[in-house]
């Protein structure tokens, strides 16, 4: 089964992470690469960071912020099995960061 993996955290936590030094940023990316190598059998698409958002309603569009920092597409037998793969994930270095695993069922019909 495929799953959409969302890397979430409070806005203040993302703001704090954006102030990281180049050395801290490199250490973070090294941790992501190491985790990616360890979890490679489950990764369909490593995804990447998510940027600024635009909220679109029938009344129009406006800039907005949300708690989404990035995404991946992964596969596993179940969400619970994938949750085991997420143990020790570097996103947990983000203050109050959490990971949401969402089913990606096939399109009906």
């Amino acid at each position: 089964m495929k799953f959409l993996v969302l890397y979430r955290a409070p806005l203040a936590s993302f703001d704090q992470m954006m102030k990281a030094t180049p050395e801290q940023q490199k250490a973070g990316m090294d941790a992501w690469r190491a985790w990616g190598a360890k979890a490679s059998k489950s990764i369909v698409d490593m995804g990447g960071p998510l940027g600024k958002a635009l909220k679109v309603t029938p009344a129009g569009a406006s800039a907005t912020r949300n708690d989404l920092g990035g995404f991946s597409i992964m596969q596993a037998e179940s969400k619970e099995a994938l949750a085991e793969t997420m143990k020790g994930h570097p996103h947990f270095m983000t203050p109050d960061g959490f990971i949401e695993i969402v089913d990606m069922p096939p399109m009906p019909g």
Side-chain angles (χ1 to χ4, degrees), residues 2-3 9 11 15 18 22 32 37-38 42 47 51-53 59 65 68-69 74 81 84 88 90 92-93 98 108:
K2 285 187 186 175
F3 301 96
L11 295 176
D15 291 342
M18 295 305 286
W32 272 81
K38 184 176 102 178
S42 297
K52 294 180 181 180
R65 290 188 73 194
L68 297 172
M74 300 185 73
E84 287 297 314
F92 296 128
M93 292 188 294
F98 64 99

Side-chain angles (χ1 to χ4, degrees), residues 12-32:
S13 295
F14 287 130
D15 291 342
Q16 180 181 343
M17 295 296 286
M18 295 305 286
K19 296 175 185 173
T21 67
E23 294 80 17
Q24 290 169 323
Q25 291 175 0
K26 182 184 180 319
M29 288 309 303
D30 289 346
W32 272 81

Side-chain angles (χ1 to χ4, degrees), residues 52-91:
K52 294 180 181 180
L54 188 67
K55 181 179 181 178
V56 181
T57 68
S62 60
T64 188
R65 290 188 73 194
N66 57 47
D67 66 350
L68 297 172
F71 78 100
S72 295
I73 298 174
M74 300 185 73
Q75 61 189 2
E77 290 182 21
S78 67
K79 287 189 292 281
E80 295 76 16
L82 188 53
E84 287 297 314
T85 303
M86 305 313 266
K87 286 184 176 178
H89 192 284
H91 180 67

